[in-house]
Amino acid sequence: MEVAAVRRTVFNEDHEAFRETLRAFIEAEVVPVYDEWFAAGQAPRDFYYKLGELGIFGINVPEEFGGAGLDSHKFEAVLYEETARAGVQFGGSGVHVLLALPYIKMLATDEQKKRYLPKFVTGEEMWAIAMTEPGTGSDLAGMKSTAKLSEDGTHYVLNGAKTFITGGVHADKVIVCARTAAPTAEDRRHGISLFAVDTKSEGYSVGRKLDKLGLKTSDTAELAFVDVKVPVEDLLGEENKGFYYLGHNLASERWGIAFGAYAQAKAAVRFAKQYVQERTVFGKPVAHFQNTKFELAACQAEVDAAEAVADRATEALDAGELTPAEAASAKLFCTEVAHRVIDRCLQLHGGYGYMNEYPIARLYADNRVNRIYGGTSEIMKTIIAKDMGL
């Protein structure tokens, strides 16, 4: 394992120093209370202030707005590895950085950045993004939510509903996708715009906190908008170009899912290896049996391959060269590997693998959504096939 660590070149000394700090933080601030979060179905809101103090939210935010001013996803990659290693998650905060921040950086005006980013960095304002609607799923062009400009031109009137919104319970600001114009016969994707909506606005409401199979500490909600007034100053980017913006950032979103899945698979092997060395059956450690060795060896080989794919995608993303097809390929491969590896590692735990007190059980449930959100595996295959000219 030490040889593999030397050969890996994606991280430098700064990333490893961050890893040490993060690992100590997780052990002190998260692990002791994680069972409470799991039972409550969400991380407490004040935990996000701690992440802000640690600097998690400001790594890729320009220095003038209180951030570190870096332009790299490698620190996020370390975060994926360390949370998976500990068998924990940071609530719904992942969407704050991975999904919301790229839109703010890409689309916000200087005036908007001055309003949004300082509180983003500290965790004072948590962000989410609302794309999916009941009945639309991956078909974003089919969204029905509308945002109509008022007669005096000072605000938009937002109406509609969203579902599966990660971070939706605790969010203070939500990037809402809504129609500002009808689709055209030539392009049904036309007419979608993005808005930074204040969750304290009149007519904005959080519906059910959804009871999910996994990701139990991540608050996921239904949202509803009834005549919500959104100031024109909170339009992100240009009107009717929202679908293009969404497509532009999908590569980074899918990279995050791919890398997170690889990290989960790596963690699963760690959990299984530890378990089979400690668990005794028929008077011998489970690790003694040939089947155990073969299973873990096969899992390790798959994790090694997924690591290479995830690292290559990370380098391409940081260089601004990760194409939609490459991101789709990385997501498809890493999520399918994680599915197989985690299942086999759970099997090695026997009946205990089915108990939520063991991290492998939670990991099994958490991992399942990776092949669904950010575009299903079937959508990934479609993108890859199209890139192949098929």
Side-chain angles (χ1 to χ4, degrees):
M1 294 304 295
E2 291 299 323
V3 174
V6 172
R7 289 176 181 167
R8 199 178 185 196
T9 59
V10 69
F11 299 124
N12 61 29
E13 293 181 359
D14 291 338
H15 302 124
E16 296 306 330
F18 174 67
R19 185 188 302 278
E20 291 182 12
T21 299
L22 185 59
R23 187 172 296 183
F25 173 82
I26 291 172
E27 291 175 354
E29 300 288 344
V30 183
V31 172
V33 294
Y34 195 71
D35 286 345
E36 298 174 18
W37 297 5
F38 190 84
Q42 61 187 33
R45 178 63 178 84
D46 61 5
F47 173 67
Y48 298 142
Y49 293 109
K50 294 181 180 180
L51 292 180
E53 292 173 2
L54 190 63
I56 295 294
F57 297 149
I59 293 172
N60 291 327
V61 173
E63 293 183 50
E64 62 187 294
F65 304 115
L70 302 179
D71 189 19
S72 172
H73 290 270
K74 293 182 180 180
F75 292 95
E76 292 172 51
V78 172
L79 178 63
Y80 284 126
E81 289 186 335
E82 289 305 306
T83 51
R85 178 185 181 276
V88 302
Q89 292 189 347
F90 284 175
S93 64
V95 71
H96 182 70
V97 174
L98 180 63
L99 298 190
L101 183 58
Y103 289 101
I104 299 173
K105 291 177 66 176
M106 178 176 71
L107 302 176
T109 63
D110 289 340
E111 184 276 331
Q112 288 175 322
K113 289 177 181 177
K114 290 177 182 177
R115 284 194 287 124
Y116 300 153
L117 289 177
K119 293 181 179 179
F120 180 101
V121 170
T122 62
E124 185 177 349
E125 286 187 349
M126 294 300 297
W127 287 64
I129 184 165
M131 292 185 275
T132 305
E133 296 183 359
T136 60
S138 298
D139 182 22
L140 295 179
M143 69 176 62
K144 305 296 183 183
S145 295
T146 61
K148 297 182 179 179
L149 188 63
S150 62
E151 292 185 2
D152 61 7
T154 61
H155 63 273
Y156 291 85
V157 179
L158 175 65
N159 284 281
K162 300 289 182 177
T163 192
F164 306 145
I165 309 307
T166 302
V169 175
H170 283 318
D172 302 288
K173 296 277 191 182
V174 177
I175 298 174
V176 178
C177 313
R179 284 205 163 275
T180 45
T184 65
E186 295 77 19
D187 187 3
R188 61 191 295 267
R189 300 171 296 181
H190 171 78
I192 295 171
S193 301
L194 307 185
F195 300 90
V197 180
D198 191 323
T199 62
K200 296 184 294 293
S201 301
E202 184 177 354
Y204 180 104
S205 63
V206 178
R208 293 185 302 152
K209 185 179 76 171
L210 301 174
D211 184 16
K212 306 184 299 296
L213 171 67
L215 302 178
K216 290 292 188 179
T217 65
S218 174
D219 54 303
T220 304
E222 295 174 330
L223 306 179
F225 321 108
V226 180
D227 294 334
V228 176
K229 292 183 179 180
V230 183
V232 292
E233 293 82 8
D234 286 323
L235 171 69
L236 286 173
E238 297 181 37
E239 258 195 11
N240 303 327
K241 291 189 176 181
F243 198 95
Y244 164 77
Y245 299 143
L246 294 174
H248 184 273
N249 284 331
L250 276 175
S252 63
E253 178 183 351
R254 288 167 178 164
W255 163 82
I257 298 170
F259 203 99
Y262 142 70
Q264 289 176 324
K266 182 177 181 179
V269 173
R270 176 175 178 267
F271 295 145
K273 179 182 175 182
Q274 181 179 6
Y275 179 82
V276 299
Q277 289 175 328
E278 296 173 352
R279 173 70 168 162
T280 300
V281 295
F282 305 117
K284 297 178 181 179
V286 176
H288 175 81
F289 298 98
Q290 186 182 64
N291 179 70
T292 304
K293 296 176 182 179
F294 281 7
E295 282 294 285
L296 282 177
C299 287
Q300 183 62 53
E302 290 219 74
V303 168
D304 287 344
E307 180 179 86
V309 170
D311 284 356
R312 185 181 70 174
T314 302
E315 296 286 17
L317 182 63
D318 270 14
E321 299 172 354
L322 185 64
T323 68
E326 288 171 337
S329 179
K331 180 182 184 295
L332 176 67
F333 183 77
C334 290
T335 57
E336 293 292 341
V337 164
H339 162 65
R340 293 191 297 269
V341 167
I342 294 171
D343 183 76
R344 295 169 82 171
C345 288
L346 186 150
Q347 188 73 15
L348 288 173
H349 283 70
Y352 288 105
Y354 204 64
M355 300 296 109
N356 274 327
E357 64 184 280
Y358 282 79
I360 192 69
R362 299 179 183 184
L363 194 59
Y364 184 86
D366 291 347
N367 172 261
R368 185 58 185 88
V369 76
N370 289 334
R371 291 181 288 149
I372 298 174
Y373 67 2
T376 64
S377 291
E378 291 72 26
I379 294 293
M380 298 304 99
K381 292 174 183 177
T382 300
I383 294 170
I384 297 165
K386 184 177 180 180
D387 186 68
M388 295 171 64
L390 300 174

